[in-house]
Amino acid sequence: MDLNALHKLGYGMYIIGSHKGDKLNGQVANTVFQITSEPPTVAVSINKSNLTHQYIDASKVFTASILHQDTPLPYIGNFGFKSGKDVDKLKGINYKIGETGAPVFLDHATACLEAEVVQAVDVGTHTIYIGRIVNAEILSEDACMTYEYYHQVKRGTTPRTAPSYIAGEKGGEK
Amino acid sequence: MDLNALHKLGYGMYIIGSHKGDKLNGQVANTVFQITSEPPTVAVSINKSNLTHQYIDASKVFTASILHQDTPLPYIGNFGFKSGKDVDKLKGINYKIGETGAPVFLDHATACLEAEVVQAVDVGTHTIYIGRIVNAEILSEDACMTYEYYHQVKRGTTPRTAPSYIAGEKGGEK
């Protein structure tokens, strides 16, 4: 069995936002996907140890900003390799408060979505949140970043808390 | 609200296989994604009206073959725009019977996975099947097809039963 086959699955790159009262946070995710078209719903898989998980559990809302291909690695690193428990990730970042009350991140985004959680599925280390779309906007027509591009061209790495982390792979926290 | 924003989500292109006894079927899907790394699990979203849905419900197993970028449209059309209720989709197609008893499709595949369903999540028109990986193989190092490439370069279209179908979009059954 060669689990590297899982690296061939296709994803985009997203910043997920949520809130708990007036506290805001965001994190990188690669697993955002449409679930149904009628009504329009999307799902996102979030590690239970992440602060954003706590916030989505509390507010039952999340946002997703879809990153363009040329998003700088430090921008991704800010959201992907730091914890909102330790630092204020939103310092110096452009965002607006969406209809859901959660932050919608505007830098390097081709589009953004807002969703209200209708179902939370416990899948062990992660929860899959399924959300009904309440807002969706296109922000640019730039090419979107794929997870493959992030790895192969940008030489980005995967944190241990990601669904797609494979033990022993090159990289890790940076 | 501009639901075309959902088209910017990133996916790959896959042929999903399953069986019911000695009856075999396969269908196109774009929503296959890793859910956890420990243990390795993947999810796939399948329309309840599809024959493959009946087969996965019966056998509790599915396979996923990850398509390479140059997969011919007629190959995708055979699995995506026909129903196994009407025709034998496997006629003339190369496949092997995997460890799960389900067909693993070998044509135009860069990798293949086999999974045993551990959870089935009802999400309205679709079911999300979450499966524990029991086999995974890399078949080639060709570039994988993205859903965006399928639409923009190959000019492929989306059937009404797909999670990512948006009413009124150009294309449809062909």
Side-chain angles (χ1 to χ4, degrees):
Chain A
M1 180 151 92
D2 182 356
L3 288 177
N4 288 308
L6 292 169
H7 277 158
K8 293 183 181 285
L9 297 175
Y11 308 96
M13 288 286 286
Y14 313 99
I15 309 290
I16 305 301
S18 192
H19 75 105
K20 184 177 180 178
D22 58 1
K23 290 187 287 185
L24 309 176
N25 197 44
Q27 70 156 74
V28 172
N30 62 305
T31 48
V32 178
F33 36 90
Q34 190 169 352
I35 291 298
T36 60
S37 63
E38 195 53 53
T41 59
V42 294
V44 59
S45 181
I46 301 286
N47 192 292
K48 290 179 180 175
S49 68
N50 289 0
L51 187 64
T52 305
H53 191 280
Q54 289 179 28
Y55 285 14
I56 299 176
D57 269 352
S59 62
K60 310 293 184 204
V61 297
F62 62 87
T63 69
S65 294
I66 301 169
L67 296 179
H68 69 58
Q69 188 168 276
D70 297 321
T71 303
L73 279 183
Y75 186 79
I76 296 170
N78 175 62
F79 285 104
F81 289 99
K82 293 177 182 172
S83 173
K85 297 169 188 165
D86 306 320
V87 296
D88 178 6
K89 292 186 185 183
L90 275 60
K91 199 174 164 184
I93 301 291
N94 290 310
Y95 64 90
K96 63 177 179 181
I97 300 298
E99 291 180 19
T100 55
V104 177
F105 299 102
L106 302 171
D107 295 324
H108 315 296
T110 63
C112 56
L113 309 172
E114 292 188 75
E116 291 174 353
V117 174
V118 291
Q119 203 168 345
V121 183
D122 185 335
V123 287
T125 53
H126 289 66
T127 299
I128 302 175
Y129 293 104
I130 298 168
R132 189 176 53 84
I133 298 289
V134 295
N135 197 29
E137 288 172 60
I138 290 178
L139 302 175
S140 88
E141 292 302 335
D142 295 332
C144 299
M145 183 180 276
T146 65
Y147 192 58
E148 186 180 26
Y149 186 90
Y150 168 69
H151 275 282
Q152 296 194 349
V153 182
K154 303 285 277 186
R155 298 288 170 197
T157 57
T158 303
R160 284 177 185 273
T161 52
S164 49
Y165 178 75
I166 292 178
E169 76 174 330
K170 206 168 65 180
E173 315 281 332
K174 58 187 277 185
Chain B
M1 181 151 92
D2 182 356
L3 288 176
N4 289 308
L6 292 168
H7 276 157
K8 292 183 180 286
L9 297 174
Y11 308 96
M13 287 286 287
Y14 313 99
I15 309 289
I16 306 301
S18 191
H19 75 106
K20 183 177 182 180
D22 58 2
K23 290 186 288 186
L24 310 175
N25 197 44
Q27 71 157 75
V28 172
N30 61 307
T31 47
V32 178
F33 37 89
Q34 191 170 353
I35 291 298
T36 60
S37 62
E38 194 53 53
T41 59
V42 293
V44 59
S45 181
I46 301 285
N47 192 293
K48 289 179 181 176
S49 68
N50 289 1
L51 187 64
T52 304
H53 190 280
Q54 289 179 27
Y55 285 13
I56 298 176
D57 269 354
S59 63
K60 309 293 184 205
V61 297
F62 62 88
T63 69
S65 294
I66 301 169
L67 296 180
H68 69 59
Q69 190 168 275
D70 297 319
T71 303
L73 279 182
Y75 186 79
I76 296 171
N78 175 63
F79 286 105
F81 290 98
K82 293 178 184 174
S83 173
K85 296 170 189 168
D86 305 320
V87 295
D88 178 6
K89 293 187 185 182
L90 275 59
K91 198 172 166 186
I93 301 290
N94 290 309
Y95 64 90
K96 64 176 179 181
I97 300 297
E99 291 180 20
T100 55
V104 177
F105 299 102
L106 302 170
D107 294 324
H108 314 296
T110 64
C112 57
L113 310 171
E114 291 187 76
E116 291 175 353
V117 174
V118 291
Q119 203 168 344
V121 183
D122 186 334
V123 289
T125 54
H126 290 66
T127 300
I128 302 175
Y129 293 103
I130 298 168
R132 189 175 55 82
I133 298 288
V134 295
N135 196 29
E137 288 172 60
I138 289 178
L139 302 174
S140 88
E141 292 302 334
D142 295 333
C144 299
M145 183 180 277
T146 65
Y147 192 57
E148 186 180 26
Y149 185 90
Y150 169 68
H151 276 282
Q152 296 193 349
V153 182
K154 303 283 277 188
R155 300 286 171 197
T157 57
T158 304
R160 283 177 185 274
T161 51
S164 50
Y165 177 74
I166 292 179
E169 76 174 331
K170 206 166 63 180
E173 315 281 332
K174 60 188 278 185

